[in-house]
Amino acid sequence: MTNFIIIMLSAVFINNYVLSRFLGICPFLGVSKKLNQAAGMSVAVIFVMLMATAVTWPIQTFLLDPNNLGYLQTIVFILVIAALVQLVEIVLKRYIPSLHKSLGVYLPLITTNCAVLGVTILNIDEGYTFAESMVNSFGSGLGFFLAMVMFSGVRSRLEGADIPKAFQGLPVTLVAASITSLSFLGFSGVIENLFA
Amino acid sequence: MNEILTAVIPVVIIGVICAVVLVVASKFMAVKENEKIPKIRECLPGANCGACGFAGCDGYAKALAEVEGTATNLCIPGADAVSQKISEILGVEFEDVIEKVAVVGCAGDCNFTQDKVEYSGIESCAAAKLIFGSKGECSYGCMGLGDCMKVCPNNAICIENGIAHINTRLCVGCGLCTKACPNHLISLIDDVEKVLVTCSNKDKGAMTRKVCKNGCIGCKKCEKVCSTGAIKVVDNLAVIDYSKCPECDDFGVCARECTTGCIVISDFSGIHRVKEQK
């Protein structure tokens, strides 16, 4: 149990996908302008990360590894994730139209989100079991959620701030992003000692 | 060669499986969309202004196709032409669209009133409104920072002499500006009306006179000269009930008799009527 908690916490805070591993930066800067959009995108990411891990982990373990095809990992994962997201979209549209509507354009956008590919590949690299992989994916998704929501708050503050002309728009957003990311460095080393 | 094959074949197989699953899924779980929706959607202007009361053009198209009895004449920017097309698609009787234009209920430009403070904050009426209620002497009037101008999809609004002016020839009547104005000065009127009260100040006459020479002082002269009882002074401000104007036998008497000149006669024909006249 402690193992799961450690994986979870480290995925959310220490190895936060956006702020420490710098994966999935595109939606982090692109969709973080409004809180509800940021939250919608993040929920979709959590959902897809869990689904993708549930599919790619068995493929890696039972198909690629026994046949010595580990080097096909990246291309197979991309293929499977893309197909999976499409399938999820079709199913949602048919059975849960309200959820489909609220996820909106974010669902197809996630197909090309490197955080999703990153979490599936890192699950394999870390040698996690299936259960551990799922926990890690959920934690990573939560970390993404945390980063998005936090940063949308930062950006709403930036809107009203008096910013020098040269820094307006993207430059100040990037500066703010780097400082937010820097603050997450403070978590490093916390988990190892938490359960020691 | 063998190594390439062992790599290619699994990927191809996985790809084919994914493709088959997707094809099967899209066949079995296809959502039947009402075929009228895209047709109706094509007729609508696509400005997503919300004048119809639905969430954008898509929402209106969906409601028209699926909800029986949705009126076809709700699209004001699209006017009669769009209503005609939608009626044809749905097979219902054509309903005439009452075209609207937006008008500003304030004419207190820099010739009539002046600023109370030297405002140098954010260029937005909503922001200026937060500071002491207004940037001008009159707290009901137009601040001229152009919130309405920014939302206008047709560039029909300009700021001149410190207040907003609407070029009714360009106005499609979507009503976005009415929601943007923090003082609620802009209203939609039918574009056949010709008289307008250009003041929204509800203070007592003496107070109004002090801050703006154009302001309505609530003297009730217009009320007396109006033969149909269309004008009433409510809260020290003349209000015109346009439904009674057609019965008027001496049109424009209210504007001629107005002591401060805040009731004006003008041609408020909107873009639709201008097109018809051509």
Side-chain angles (χ1 to χ4, degrees), chain A residues 77-92:
Chain A
F77 279 16
I78 291 176
L79 189 66
V80 171
I81 292 171
L84 184 75
V85 173
Q86 278 303 314
L87 184 66
V88 167
E89 202 189 356
I90 293 171
V91 172
L92 282 185

Side-chain angles (χ1 to χ4, degrees), chain B residues 64-85:
Chain B
L64 276 169
E66 286 170 3
V67 183
E68 197 88 5
T70 310
T72 56
N73 62 349
L74 295 180
C75 183
I76 292 164
D80 290 342
V82 166
S83 175
Q84 181 86 50
K85 277 189 216 155

